[in-house]
Amino acid sequence: MADRRTLIMEAAARVIARRGVRGLRVEELAAEAGVSTALIYYHFKDRAGILRATLEFINDRAERYTTERAADAPPLDARGELRQTLLLELQDTPEVRENSTAWGELRASAVFDPDLREDLARATLVWVQEVTDLLGRVHPMNGAASLAASAERLTALLEGLSVRWLSGSLPVAHARELMVGAIDGELERLRG
C-alpha cells in the first residue's frame, strides 16, 4: 500500500485535474485522500507546498510512464527512444490524462503566481534538457544550442497537442501523427 504522502499527491493530482489549481481546497484534498487536513499541513506546510509537491509528483510520474520499458521489450535505438518518450505523453489512459490535465492547470495558474511560475520553469527546463539529451544521442555532432532549440519546439508542440487532445478538439491518434511528423522534421533539420 502506498504511503500517506503518496496518497495525498495522487489525490492532489486528481483534484487539480478536475477542479484546477484555484479550485484546490485542502479540505477537499483531505477527503479525496482519506486523511485529515492536519496530516496534509504536516507534510506540506501550506498550499504552496502542496502545489510544489504536486508538480514534482506529476513530473516523476510522467518520467516513469515515459521511460519504463517491459523487461522483454527489445532495446530501442536513440531515435526510437526519443519518439517513444514523446509519444507516451499522448496516450489515452487515465494516468496520462490526469497528469497532463494537472500539468496544464498548474501551467495556467503560474501566469498569476510567481512562486509557481519559478517551480514550473525549473520543471520545464529539466524536461527540455531530457529531450535535448535524447536529440543529442540521435545527432551527437550537433551543438547544444541547436539541440536545445529543437527540444524547445518539440516540448512546446507536445504541450499544445496535449491541450487540444484533452479538450476534445483533436483526436489522440491525429495528435500522435502530428508529433511524429514534428520529431522527424526536427531530426531532419538537425541532420542539416
Side-chain angles (χ1 to χ4, degrees):
M1 182 169 173
D3 66 31
R4 287 191 175 170
R5 184 178 170 89
T6 302
L7 289 174
I8 295 167
M9 290 295 84
E10 290 169 346
R14 279 192 306 274
V15 171
I16 290 171
R18 192 171 52 237
R19 297 197 178 274
V21 172
R22 297 180 94 194
L24 176 67
R25 302 288 178 261
V26 176
E27 297 77 18
E28 181 181 357
L29 174 56
E32 182 82 20
V35 300
S36 70
T37 57
L39 185 64
I40 291 174
Y41 284 117
Y42 170 78
H43 282 292
F44 306 104
K45 306 294 182 238
D46 56 18
R47 192 170 187 280
I50 296 167
L51 294 177
R52 193 171 296 112
T54 304
L55 179 61
E56 187 176 312
F57 173 79
I58 63 174
N59 282 330
D60 290 346
R61 191 161 62 171
E63 174 78 16
R64 181 184 45 74
Y65 65 66
T66 60
T67 59
E68 283 185 351
R69 308 285 187 257
D72 59 345
L76 296 172
D77 64 2
R79 185 183 194 111
E81 189 172 340
L82 170 68
R83 182 180 275 195
Q84 186 165 330
T85 297
L86 293 172
L87 291 177
L88 286 174
E89 287 285 355
L90 295 169
Q91 31 176 348
D92 197 2
T93 66
E95 183 178 51
V96 174
R97 277 181 168 276
E98 182 180 280
N99 235 43
S100 296
T101 303
W103 173 266
E105 291 294 333
L106 287 160
R107 180 168 295 293
S109 291
V111 171
F112 305 103
D113 183 339
D115 293 333
L116 186 55
R117 189 177 314 142
E118 290 175 21
D119 293 335
L120 198 67
R122 277 190 294 277
T124 300
L125 184 61
V126 168
W127 186 33
V128 169
Q129 185 57 53
E130 289 169 358
V131 174
T132 299
D133 293 346
L134 289 169
L135 288 163
R137 288 184 46 219
V138 178
H139 289 293
M141 301 308 288
N142 281 85
S146 61
L147 293 169
S150 286
E152 288 274 2
R153 285 188 291 272
L154 288 173
T155 57
L157 175 63
L158 183 56
E159 284 186 8
L161 291 172
S162 181
V163 168
R164 287 186 181 189
W165 158 59
L166 290 166
S167 67
S169 52
L170 188 68
V172 70
H174 187 56
R176 291 173 66 89
E177 290 169 11
L178 293 171
M179 194 71 227
V180 167
I183 293 166
D184 291 346
E186 288 298 330
L187 291 174
E188 184 63 30
R189 177 193 305 241
L190 288 169
R191 194 170 66 121

PDB file of all heavy atoms in Angstrom, residues 71-91:
ATOM      1  N   ALA A  71      10.387  -5.684 -19.465  1.00  0.00           N
ATOM      2  CA  ALA A  71      11.656  -6.409 -19.361  1.00  0.00           C
ATOM      3  C   ALA A  71      11.981  -7.175 -20.640  1.00  0.00           C
ATOM      4  O   ALA A  71      13.146  -7.294 -21.019  1.00  0.00           O
ATOM      5  CB  ALA A  71      11.619  -7.353 -18.170  1.00  0.00           C
ATOM      6  N   ASP A  72      10.953  -7.648 -21.333  1.00  0.00           N
ATOM      7  CA  ASP A  72      11.189  -8.428 -22.541  1.00  0.00           C
ATOM      8  C   ASP A  72      11.149  -7.584 -23.825  1.00  0.00           C
ATOM      9  O   ASP A  72      11.268  -8.112 -24.924  1.00  0.00           O
ATOM     10  CB  ASP A  72      10.179  -9.573 -22.641  1.00  0.00           C
ATOM     11  CG  ASP A  72       8.736  -9.084 -22.674  1.00  0.00           C
ATOM     12  OD1 ASP A  72       8.482  -7.902 -22.333  1.00  0.00           O
ATOM     13  OD2 ASP A  72       7.861  -9.890 -23.031  1.00  0.00           O
ATOM     14  N   ALA A  73      11.002  -6.261 -23.670  1.00  0.00           N
ATOM     15  CA  ALA A  73      10.950  -5.388 -24.845  1.00  0.00           C
ATOM     16  C   ALA A  73      12.347  -5.260 -25.452  1.00  0.00           C
ATOM     17  O   ALA A  73      13.340  -5.159 -24.733  1.00  0.00           O
ATOM     18  CB  ALA A  73      10.432  -4.011 -24.452  1.00  0.00           C
ATOM     19  N   PRO A  74      12.417  -5.286 -26.780  1.00  0.00           N
ATOM     20  CA  PRO A  74      13.737  -5.121 -27.409  1.00  0.00           C
ATOM     21  C   PRO A  74      14.257  -3.704 -27.149  1.00  0.00           C
ATOM     22  O   PRO A  74      13.476  -2.763 -27.008  1.00  0.00           O
ATOM     23  CB  PRO A  74      13.455  -5.343 -28.895  1.00  0.00           C
ATOM     24  CG  PRO A  74      11.999  -5.100 -29.065  1.00  0.00           C
ATOM     25  CD  PRO A  74      11.350  -5.423 -27.753  1.00  0.00           C
ATOM     26  N   PRO A  75      15.549  -3.546 -27.072  1.00  0.00           N
ATOM     27  CA  PRO A  75      16.107  -2.208 -26.830  1.00  0.00           C
ATOM     28  C   PRO A  75      15.802  -1.279 -28.008  1.00  0.00           C
ATOM     29  O   PRO A  75      15.702  -1.729 -29.155  1.00  0.00           O
ATOM     30  CB  PRO A  75      17.611  -2.456 -26.686  1.00  0.00           C
ATOM     31  CG  PRO A  75      17.863  -3.792 -27.297  1.00  0.00           C
ATOM     32  CD  PRO A  75      16.586  -4.558 -27.224  1.00  0.00           C
ATOM     33  N   LEU A  76      15.637  -0.016 -27.695  1.00  0.00           N
ATOM     34  CA  LEU A  76      15.356   0.982 -28.724  1.00  0.00           C
ATOM     35  C   LEU A  76      16.640   1.694 -29.122  1.00  0.00           C
ATOM     36  O   LEU A  76      17.525   1.903 -28.282  1.00  0.00           O
ATOM     37  CB  LEU A  76      14.365   2.021 -28.194  1.00  0.00           C
ATOM     38  CG  LEU A  76      12.970   1.528 -27.832  1.00  0.00           C
ATOM     39  CD1 LEU A  76      12.179   2.630 -27.139  1.00  0.00           C
ATOM     40  CD2 LEU A  76      12.238   1.063 -29.083  1.00  0.00           C
ATOM     41  N   ASP A  77      16.721   2.075 -30.393  1.00  0.00           N
ATOM     42  CA  ASP A  77      17.824   2.949 -30.776  1.00  0.00           C
ATOM     43  C   ASP A  77      17.488   4.356 -30.291  1.00  0.00           C
ATOM     44  O   ASP A  77      16.394   4.596 -29.759  1.00  0.00           O
ATOM     45  CB  ASP A  77      18.069   2.898 -32.287  1.00  0.00           C
ATOM     46  CG  ASP A  77      16.900   3.431 -33.122  1.00  0.00           C
ATOM     47  OD1 ASP A  77      15.886   3.890 -32.553  1.00  0.00           O
ATOM     48  OD2 ASP A  77      16.994   3.378 -34.361  1.00  0.00           O
ATOM     49  N   ALA A  78      18.385   5.286 -30.440  1.00  0.00           N
ATOM     50  CA  ALA A  78      18.194   6.641 -29.909  1.00  0.00           C
ATOM     51  C   ALA A  78      16.955   7.316 -30.508  1.00  0.00           C
ATOM     52  O   ALA A  78      16.185   7.965 -29.791  1.00  0.00           O
ATOM     53  CB  ALA A  78      19.438   7.481 -30.167  1.00  0.00           C
ATOM     54  N   ARG A  79      16.755   7.159 -31.795  1.00  0.00           N
ATOM     55  CA  ARG A  79      15.582   7.750 -32.463  1.00  0.00           C
ATOM     56  C   ARG A  79      14.292   7.145 -31.906  1.00  0.00           C
ATOM     57  O   ARG A  79      13.321   7.857 -31.631  1.00  0.00           O
ATOM     58  CB  ARG A  79      15.678   7.536 -33.962  1.00  0.00           C
ATOM     59  CG  ARG A  79      14.579   8.199 -34.739  1.00  0.00           C
ATOM     60  CD  ARG A  79      14.698   7.865 -36.238  1.00  0.00           C
ATOM     61  NE  ARG A  79      13.873   8.748 -36.997  1.00  0.00           N
ATOM     62  CZ  ARG A  79      14.305   9.697 -37.819  1.00  0.00           C
ATOM     63  NH1 ARG A  79      15.603   9.861 -37.994  1.00  0.00           N
ATOM     64  NH2 ARG A  79      13.464  10.446 -38.472  1.00  0.00           N
ATOM     65  N   GLY A  80      14.272   5.825 -31.742  1.00  0.00           N
ATOM     66  CA  GLY A  80      13.094   5.152 -31.198  1.00  0.00           C
ATOM     67  C   GLY A  80      12.809   5.575 -29.769  1.00  0.00           C
ATOM     68  O   GLY A  80      11.649   5.736 -29.386  1.00  0.00           O
ATOM     69  N   GLU A  81      13.855   5.746 -28.988  1.00  0.00           N
ATOM     70  CA  GLU A  81      13.663   6.188 -27.607  1.00  0.00           C
ATOM     71  C   GLU A  81      13.096   7.605 -27.552  1.00  0.00           C
ATOM     72  O   GLU A  81      12.190   7.888 -26.777  1.00  0.00           O
ATOM     73  CB  GLU A  81      14.976   6.110 -26.834  1.00  0.00           C
ATOM     74  CG  GLU A  81      14.782   6.341 -25.361  1.00  0.00           C
ATOM     75  CD  GLU A  81      16.034   6.084 -24.552  1.00  0.00           C
ATOM     76  OE1 GLU A  81      16.955   5.393 -25.020  1.00  0.00           O
ATOM     77  OE2 GLU A  81      16.068   6.593 -23.416  1.00  0.00           O
ATOM     78  N   LEU A  82      13.607   8.494 -28.398  1.00  0.00           N
ATOM     79  CA  LEU A  82      13.086   9.860 -28.469  1.00  0.00           C
ATOM     80  C   LEU A  82      11.608   9.837 -28.845  1.00  0.00           C
ATOM     81  O   LEU A  82      10.768  10.442 -28.173  1.00  0.00           O
ATOM     82  CB  LEU A  82      13.871  10.675 -29.497  1.00  0.00           C
ATOM     83  CG  LEU A  82      13.297  12.042 -29.855  1.00  0.00           C
ATOM     84  CD1 LEU A  82      13.408  12.993 -28.665  1.00  0.00           C
ATOM     85  CD2 LEU A  82      14.009  12.618 -31.076  1.00  0.00           C
ATOM     86  N   ARG A  83      11.290   9.113 -29.896  1.00  0.00           N
ATOM     87  CA  ARG A  83       9.911   9.041 -30.379  1.00  0.00           C
ATOM     88  C   ARG A  83       8.989   8.453 -29.305  1.00  0.00           C
ATOM     89  O   ARG A  83       7.936   9.011 -29.008  1.00  0.00           O
ATOM     90  CB  ARG A  83       9.861   8.194 -31.637  1.00  0.00           C
ATOM     91  CG  ARG A  83       8.464   8.109 -32.225  1.00  0.00           C
ATOM     92  CD  ARG A  83       8.469   7.272 -33.451  1.00  0.00           C
ATOM     93  NE  ARG A  83       8.850   8.119 -34.567  1.00  0.00           N
ATOM     94  CZ  ARG A  83       8.687   7.781 -35.840  1.00  0.00           C
ATOM     95  NH1 ARG A  83       8.180   6.614 -36.157  1.00  0.00           N
ATOM     96  NH2 ARG A  83       9.032   8.609 -36.791  1.00  0.00           N
ATOM     97  N   GLN A  84       9.397   7.349 -28.709  1.00  0.00           N
ATOM     98  CA  GLN A  84       8.544   6.709 -27.707  1.00  0.00           C
ATOM     99  C   GLN A  84       8.354   7.604 -26.492  1.00  0.00           C
ATOM    100  O   GLN A  84       7.248   7.714 -25.967  1.00  0.00           O
ATOM    101  CB  GLN A  84       9.128   5.358 -27.297  1.00  0.00           C
ATOM    102  CG  GLN A  84       8.195   4.604 -26.367  1.00  0.00           C
ATOM    103  CD  GLN A  84       8.576   3.150 -26.234  1.00  0.00           C
ATOM    104  OE1 GLN A  84       9.115   2.555 -27.157  1.00  0.00           O
ATOM    105  NE2 GLN A  84       8.291   2.584 -25.095  1.00  0.00           N
ATOM    106  N   THR A  85       9.410   8.243 -26.042  1.00  0.00           N
ATOM    107  CA  THR A  85       9.316   9.117 -24.864  1.00  0.00           C
ATOM    108  C   THR A  85       8.296  10.224 -25.087  1.00  0.00           C
ATOM    109  O   THR A  85       7.460  10.492 -24.219  1.00  0.00           O
ATOM    110  CB  THR A  85      10.696   9.712 -24.519  1.00  0.00           C
ATOM    111  OG1 THR A  85      11.574   8.634 -24.174  1.00  0.00           O
ATOM    112  CG2 THR A  85      10.612  10.684 -23.372  1.00  0.00           C
ATOM    113  N   LEU A  86       8.341  10.857 -26.252  1.00  0.00           N
ATOM    114  CA  LEU A  86       7.404  11.955 -26.523  1.00  0.00           C
ATOM    115  C   LEU A  86       5.992  11.438 -26.779  1.00  0.00           C
ATOM    116  O   LEU A  86       5.017  12.016 -26.285  1.00  0.00           O
ATOM    117  CB  LEU A  86       7.907  12.797 -27.688  1.00  0.00           C
ATOM    118  CG  LEU A  86       9.192  13.586 -27.397  1.00  0.00           C
ATOM    119  CD1 LEU A  86       9.721  14.241 -28.661  1.00  0.00           C
ATOM    120  CD2 LEU A  86       8.972  14.611 -26.303  1.00  0.00           C
ATOM    121  N   LEU A  87       5.872  10.348 -27.507  1.00  0.00           N
ATOM    122  CA  LEU A  87       4.532   9.840 -27.819  1.00  0.00           C
ATOM    123  C   LEU A  87       3.818   9.260 -26.605  1.00  0.00           C
ATOM    124  O   LEU A  87       2.585   9.265 -26.551  1.00  0.00           O
ATOM    125  CB  LEU A  87       4.607   8.800 -28.942  1.00  0.00           C
ATOM    126  CG  LEU A  87       4.970   9.353 -30.312  1.00  0.00           C
ATOM    127  CD1 LEU A  87       5.083   8.225 -31.330  1.00  0.00           C
ATOM    128  CD2 LEU A  87       3.972  10.409 -30.768  1.00  0.00           C
ATOM    129  N   LEU A  88       4.563   8.791 -25.621  1.00  0.00           N
ATOM    130  CA  LEU A  88       3.905   8.256 -24.433  1.00  0.00           C
ATOM    131  C   LEU A  88       3.233   9.345 -23.598  1.00  0.00           C
ATOM    132  O   LEU A  88       2.448   9.050 -22.701  1.00  0.00           O
ATOM    133  CB  LEU A  88       4.892   7.444 -23.581  1.00  0.00           C
ATOM    134  CG  LEU A  88       5.247   6.078 -24.166  1.00  0.00           C
ATOM    135  CD1 LEU A  88       6.344   5.411 -23.343  1.00  0.00           C
ATOM    136  CD2 LEU A  88       4.020   5.185 -24.266  1.00  0.00           C
ATOM    137  N   GLU A  89       3.502  10.602 -23.909  1.00  0.00           N
ATOM    138  CA  GLU A  89       2.760  11.703 -23.287  1.00  0.00           C
ATOM    139  C   GLU A  89       1.395  11.885 -23.940  1.00  0.00           C
ATOM    140  O   GLU A  89       0.570  12.643 -23.450  1.00  0.00           O
ATOM    141  CB  GLU A  89       3.550  13.019 -23.383  1.00  0.00           C
ATOM    142  CG  GLU A  89       4.742  13.094 -22.470  1.00  0.00           C
ATOM    143  CD  GLU A  89       4.376  13.325 -21.012  1.00  0.00           C
ATOM    144  OE1 GLU A  89       3.185  13.526 -20.700  1.00  0.00           O
ATOM    145  OE2 GLU A  89       5.294  13.287 -20.187  1.00  0.00           O
ATOM    146  N   LEU A  90       1.168  11.200 -25.043  1.00  0.00           N
ATOM    147  CA  LEU A  90      -0.112  11.278 -25.754  1.00  0.00           C
ATOM    148  C   LEU A  90      -0.736   9.892 -25.810  1.00  0.00           C
ATOM    149  O   LEU A  90      -0.943   9.319 -26.874  1.00  0.00           O
ATOM    150  CB  LEU A  90       0.100  11.817 -27.181  1.00  0.00           C
ATOM    151  CG  LEU A  90       0.593  13.253 -27.303  1.00  0.00           C
ATOM    152  CD1 LEU A  90       1.020  13.562 -28.728  1.00  0.00           C
ATOM    153  CD2 LEU A  90      -0.471  14.230 -26.828  1.00  0.00           C
ATOM    154  N   GLN A  91      -1.017   9.326 -24.650  1.00  0.00           N
ATOM    155  CA  GLN A  91      -1.714   8.039 -24.601  1.00  0.00           C
ATOM    156  C   GLN A  91      -3.008   8.238 -23.825  1.00  0.00           C
ATOM    157  O   GLN A  91      -3.045   8.942 -22.834  1.00  0.00           O
ATOM    158  CB  GLN A  91      -0.867   6.925 -24.001  1.00  0.00           C
ATOM    159  CG  GLN A  91       0.116   7.281 -22.993  1.00  0.00           C
ATOM    160  CD  GLN A  91       0.833   6.090 -22.400  1.00  0.00           C
ATOM    161  OE1 GLN A  91       0.470   4.928 -22.564  1.00  0.00           O
ATOM    162  NE2 GLN A  91       1.867   6.388 -21.668  1.00  0.00           N
TER     163      GLN A  91
END
